[in-house]
Amino acid sequence: MEDCIFCKIVNKEIPSEIIYEDDKVMAFKDVNPQSPVHVLVIPKEHIESSNDIDDNNSQLIGHIFVTIKELAKELGIDEDGYRIVNNCGSFGGQTVYHIHFHLLGGRKFSWPPG
Ligand code: AMP
């Protein structure tokens, strides 16, 4: 997708602090961190939002969650706990329409979300 900022990060057309990458997914630091650890985990393939998850990409989405679990351990937040967030659509607060999962940790979070 030409205008997608996260596709540009995947293609290394714009810089980012990449902390993990394989042939299917990429994880990089959020430019506006909301907690001591704030990483975005995305598929390299352009998928707009959770509304576009289906049987064809469910394995890829599952791989993202395995990656998140491994990153949480590597980043030392697995034992205290962490939050995985996906914002979908305007009411969900999505601002970048390339599906992504926020991995947030390093502090205690409250509930309910704002
Ligand atoms: P969301 O509101 O769930 O769509 O989240 C989008 C996230 O992308 C926000 O937390 C932004 O801070 C983050 N973001 C936007 N542009 C960049 C960028 N170039 N590099 C890293 N994170 C970004």
Side-chain angles (χ1 to χ4, degrees):
M1 284 282 288
E2 265 175 37
D3 296 338
C4 172
I5 192 163
F6 287 178
C7 284
K8 287 186 176 151
I9 286 175
V10 167
N11 294 326
K12 316 261 168 77
E13 289 165 20
I14 60 169
S16 65
E17 279 193 74
I18 298 166
I19 63 162
Y20 176 79
E21 144 169 54
D22 62 26
D23 57 328
K24 295 185 181 65
V25 308
M26 184 179 267
F28 51 93
K29 291 188 182 175
D30 196 294
V31 78
N32 183 22
Q34 302 300 313
S35 51
V37 173
H38 188 171
V39 170
L40 301 174
V41 187
I42 69 168
K44 288 190 166 178
E45 172 189 331
H46 184 87
I47 298 170
E48 267 195 24
S49 80
S50 287
N51 284 335
D52 302 297
I53 295 174
D54 59 24
D55 287 342
N56 296 316
N57 57 34
S58 58
Q59 208 172 350
L60 173 58
I61 300 299
H63 178 56
I64 287 177
F65 276 81
V66 174
T67 302
I68 288 172
K69 182 209 72 176
E70 287 169 355
L71 287 173
K73 192 171 170 61
E74 272 174 36
L75 295 165
I77 57 171
D78 56 327
E79 297 213 343
D80 282 342
Y82 49 88
R83 188 167 286 184
I84 301 166
V85 172
N86 169 252
N87 297 323
C88 179
S90 66
F91 273 26
Q94 184 172 7
T95 59
V96 178
Y97 280 78
H98 180 132
I99 194 170
H100 51 281
F101 296 86
H102 299 253
L103 169 59
L104 299 140
R107 68 171 172 86
K108 196 164 171 54
F109 298 102
S110 58
W111 191 263

